Structure formats: structure tokens, C-alpha cells
Amino acid sequence: MSTHSSDAALTRSAAYASIATALFLAVLKGWATWRTGSAAMLGSLADTGLDLVASIATLAGVWIAAQPADREHRFGHGKAEALSAMFQVMLIGVSAVAIAWRSAVQLVGGGRTAAAEEGIAVSVAAIVATLALIAWQRHVIARTGSVAIKADNVHYQSDLLLNAAVIAALVLDQYLGLGAADPVIGLAIAAWLAWGAWRAGLEAVDHLMDREWPEDKRQRFVEIAATHPQLSNLHDLRTRTSGAHDFVQFHVDMPAGMTVQEAHDILEDVERDLCRHFPGMELLIHIDPEGHVDKPDDPLVEENLFESLEKGS
């Protein structure tokens, strides 16, 4: 199985696991909300319901992103993951606002919870199921770098806090008599969800806006390219990520008297080596004759990145 097919299968497995977990938790929390009347539990249920919708969106996103390039999408479909992530972010934001509103109403109007034992038992079961899912998602993220699975993972990380908060709210309300604890914790949950949505949204926007690779990854790329003595110059390096795929292009200088075949053979070796170090990358190398200046007034184009390596050493 190719690396691309293997990564696609992994991301789909994480999406299926997420849907199954969300269905299981939604049933449990629906029953617990009916039994306890807790705003914190209601918030947790609302979040799980949105998790289910978001997990379905994640499955659609990773499935579309795994489709090969076609005539209408010659760079592939990787940005479907970022679109899926943005949809999830919007759902998380809606959930945060709804939970905050419900908690504020309860805080002002008063109200108590009930059936602490059932609520706590459901929350413990939810924590166990969520920990298992998060462990598998992190394995998939480490292997594939999927931005959609990362955004989905944010939901379930927050679920751990949500379930712990529900337990705390029920204990404080029913055993210690602190009636305001439940809505206050509900407000804290809403704030946590909003923060998670902001973080996940930033990464999705980076993918949609073709943000450059992180500086350490770019530096490693240049260092590996510099190990090829046939390359005297590397400039106009451009990088981006789309889903689980990387796209890179750069210019190199070659002697003006070199034949096309000679230059091609050298760059074939360079390309094989770079793609070995960066699996799943699509690479485009442009040849300039030595001494050629593309855009004299654009330092981003003309900067020789091999020289910057020498200055840093």
C-alpha cells in the first residue's frame, strides 16, 4: 500500500472512531441530562452533539482530501480538510455561545441539580471512552498531520475537561450545597470551547491561505538540499501544505553551457533525495542559468538560501 493510501486509511479510521464515540456519548449524556437537570451536563451534551456533526464533517473532509488529483483539481483535494476544520470551528463557536447563555440564565434565575450518582457515573464512562479515542487520533495525527483530525481532536480534548467539570459541578452543588457552582462551571466550559475553536481556526486558515512551512522545517529542507554539491544556489523557495500533502518549488542556478539532459539528471537525484526526506511532497524545481537575475528588486526571489546557511554556521 502506498504512503498516500495508508495515510488516507488512517484518517478515515480516526473519523469513523470519532463518529462511533460521539454517538455513544450522546446517548449517555442525553439520559444523564434528563436525570440531573445540570447546566454543565447540558453543555457537555450539546458539545457531544456538535462533535457528532463535526465528526461526520471530518469524515467527509478526509474522504474528499484523499481523492487523487483530477482535471479540475490538479493540485489534489487536500484543502477539503481545512474547509472541514473551519466548519467544525463554527460549530464549536455556536456551542460555546449556547452553553454560556444557558449557564448565565441559570446563574441569574437559580436552580439545582439532581441525581449526582448517575451524572458522575456517565461522566466517568465518557472520560474513559474519550481517552481511548484521543490516543488513536494522536497516533493518526503523528502519522499523517491531518488538519481535520487535529480540529476533531480539539473537541475531544475539551471533552475531558467538560466531563471533569460536570463531576465537579455535581459534587459542589449536591454534596457541598454550592448552587452557583454548576452554572459557573458551565460558563468556564464555554470559554474553554471558544479558546479551542480559536486555536483550531488559526491552523485551518493557515492551510487555506497557503502559509509557508514553519521556519525549522524550511531550514531542514534547505540543509538537505545543500548536501548536494552540484547545487551552488537555491533561491525563491516557496512552500505550502494542503491537507496531508506538501507542495514546494524553488529555483537553482546551473552553468549556461550544461545540456538539458545533464541538468535534468542532476535535479532528478536531488528530487529523489528531498522526497525521501519529505514523504508526500510534490516538488517543482526551476533552472536558471548562472548569473541570471529574475527580479532584481525582489529580495524574496533572489535570496540565496545556501548563503544564509553559511552565515548561521
Side-chain angles (χ1 to χ4, degrees):
M1 182 182 290
S2 68
T3 300
H4 175 69
S5 298
S6 176
D7 287 353
L10 277 172
T11 53
R12 284 197 299 271
S13 73
Y16 285 129
S18 178
I19 291 172
T21 302
L23 280 170
F24 171 69
L25 294 181
V27 171
L28 274 183
K29 292 178 182 180
W31 176 80
T33 300
W34 170 68
R35 288 288 295 147
T36 65
S38 165
M41 181 65 80
L42 176 63
S44 186
L45 171 62
D47 179 65
T48 297
L50 290 173
D51 280 351
L52 176 59
V53 176
S55 295
I56 294 171
T58 297
L59 177 60
V62 299
W63 182 82
I64 294 171
Q67 300 307 302
D70 54 35
R71 289 184 178 275
E72 287 74 34
H73 308 89
R74 293 185 182 270
F75 288 100
H77 301 78
K79 288 189 177 180
E81 287 201 22
L83 291 172
S84 170
M86 288 302 297
F87 177 68
Q88 293 175 58
V89 166
M90 288 188 287
L91 287 178
I92 298 171
V94 170
S95 177
V97 171
I99 294 167
W101 175 260
R102 174 69 179 81
S103 298
V105 169
Q106 183 173 332
L107 185 63
V108 173
R112 301 299 296 272
T113 62
E117 293 80 5
E118 288 94 331
I120 291 171
V122 165
S123 297
V124 170
I127 288 172
V128 172
T130 302
L131 282 171
L133 176 63
I134 286 175
W136 179 243
Q137 286 180 325
R138 286 182 175 174
H139 168 72
V140 172
I141 292 167
R143 288 283 302 275
T144 69
S146 169
V147 67
I149 300 300
K150 285 181 183 178
D152 206 36
N153 185 252
V154 170
H155 298 162
Y156 290 99
Q157 289 182 50
S158 68
D159 267 1
L160 292 177
L161 179 64
L162 285 170
N163 291 306
V166 169
I167 293 172
L170 292 172
V171 169
L172 290 171
D173 185 1
Q174 294 188 43
Y175 297 134
L176 300 181
L178 300 176
D182 183 56
V184 167
I185 289 176
L187 289 171
I189 289 171
W192 171 259
L193 288 174
W195 172 241
W198 173 258
R199 289 186 301 161
L202 287 178
E203 183 170 4
V205 168
D206 283 346
H207 279 247
L208 291 172
M209 294 295 293
D210 291 334
R211 186 182 179 90
E212 283 288 320
W213 285 356
E215 190 56 38
D216 59 341
K217 188 175 179 179
R218 276 177 55 94
Q219 182 81 353
R220 179 167 164 258
F221 182 92
V222 174
E223 288 172 352
I224 293 170
T227 62
H228 293 269
Q230 304 95 327
L231 302 184
S232 62
N233 181 296
L234 185 155
H235 58 280
D236 198 12
L237 172 63
R238 303 183 187 192
T239 62
R240 66 185 178 93
T241 298
S242 179
H245 306 285
D246 288 324
F247 294 86
V248 179
Q249 65 184 59
F250 61 84
H251 290 213
V252 294
D253 288 353
M254 288 290 177
M258 182 177 286
T259 66
V260 172
Q261 185 64 54
E262 290 170 337
H264 174 268
D265 291 343
I266 290 172
L267 295 184
E268 279 282 291
D269 289 339
V270 172
E271 183 173 342
R272 275 194 296 270
D273 184 46
L274 288 170
C275 289
R276 180 171 60 84
H277 285 88
F278 296 87
M281 174 180 65
E282 184 171 313
L283 180 61
L284 176 64
I285 305 175
H286 178 82
I287 301 173
D288 287 332
E290 280 183 334
H292 175 75
V293 177
D294 290 316
K295 298 179 181 178
D297 298 325
D298 189 345
L300 291 178
V301 172
E302 300 305 331
E303 180 187 10
N304 180 3
L305 296 178
F306 289 166
E307 290 181 354
S308 65
L309 284 181
E310 294 170 0
K311 292 175 183 177
S313 61

